[in-house]
Amino acid sequence: MKKRLKFILVLLLSISLLSISLLAGCSSGNTDKHGKNNANEIKQDPKAVADIERVIEGFGSVLQKVSLQGPAEEVKKSIQENYSAYVSPDLLERWIADPLKALGRLTSSPWPDRIEIKNVERLADEAYKVEGEIIEITSAEKENEVAAKKPVTFVLENIEGKWLIITAKADDPVEK
């Protein structure tokens, strides 16, 4: 009887440990920077991912050029000139109509310096989600130091052969 009870306890313990390790593997995200999902094996298009990363990095490089404060016509012109290569015509129109919903520079300091990409995930054949952080700096920061990080999520679509941002949502900054 003791032998049978010991066997049952060992069996239950083994099943429990196996269940825990399987759950940990499924809930850990299992995605890398490029959104490769080991659990579901979502197939990414490496060329699309590279193109999308270039769009996000390019967009991040012009964020500081777009001051969202100032005369309305100047703000709208700046959004048009700096963002039209990176965002869809629909999103561009929405931001021009309501510039405070756009991403850009709100204050003289800190200002957005770049976007660091954390994850790229394929949503559909012609749509990807990008998660990253807008890196904000000040003139007092030393080279490569960060004043704040603002989490940001983009959705990009391939529109007429070109990857463009169709949505952009930034969260509150996280101070360093």
Side-chain angles (χ1 to χ4, degrees), residues 50-65:
D51 291 345
I52 287 164
E53 287 177 344
R54 276 192 291 279
V55 169
I56 296 300
E57 289 165 359
F59 180 74
S61 72
V62 297
L63 282 173
Q64 64 183 292
K65 295 179 182 179

Side-chain angles (χ1 to χ4, degrees), residues 41-159:
E41 291 299 324
I42 295 173
K43 184 78 171 150
Q44 302 276 52
D45 176 354
K47 182 183 179 327
V49 170
D51 291 345
I52 287 164
E53 287 177 344
R54 276 192 291 279
V55 169
I56 296 300
E57 289 165 359
F59 180 74
S61 72
V62 297
L63 282 173
Q64 64 183 292
K65 295 179 182 179
V66 178
S67 174
L68 301 174
Q69 304 294 319
E73 289 309 310
E74 285 181 29
V75 172
K76 290 175 183 183
K77 182 180 177 189
S78 183
I79 289 172
Q80 175 71 40
E81 288 175 354
N82 290 287
Y83 292 167
S84 61
Y86 306 104
V87 304
S88 69
D90 182 53
L91 182 58
L92 194 63
E93 282 181 34
R94 288 188 306 219
W95 282 354
I96 288 171
D98 190 354
L100 290 179
K101 289 188 179 179
L103 299 180
R105 186 166 38 94
L106 286 169
T107 60
S108 61
S109 187
W111 63 84
D113 181 58
R114 65 189 180 279
I115 296 173
E116 289 184 357
I117 297 170
K118 299 297 180 189
N119 187 47
V120 178
E121 176 185 348
R122 188 174 193 169
L123 300 175
D125 284 344
E126 300 296 318
Y128 280 77
K129 178 173 81 171
V130 177
E131 296 171 320
E133 294 174 326
I134 297 172
I135 304 302
E136 295 184 342
I137 62 172
T138 69
S139 57
E141 305 302 319
K142 293 180 185 169
E143 190 173 323
N144 293 324
E145 284 194 27
V146 175
K149 295 180 179 186
K150 185 183 293 188
V152 63
T153 304
F154 301 97
V155 174
L156 290 86
E157 271 187 9
N158 191 327
I159 300 173

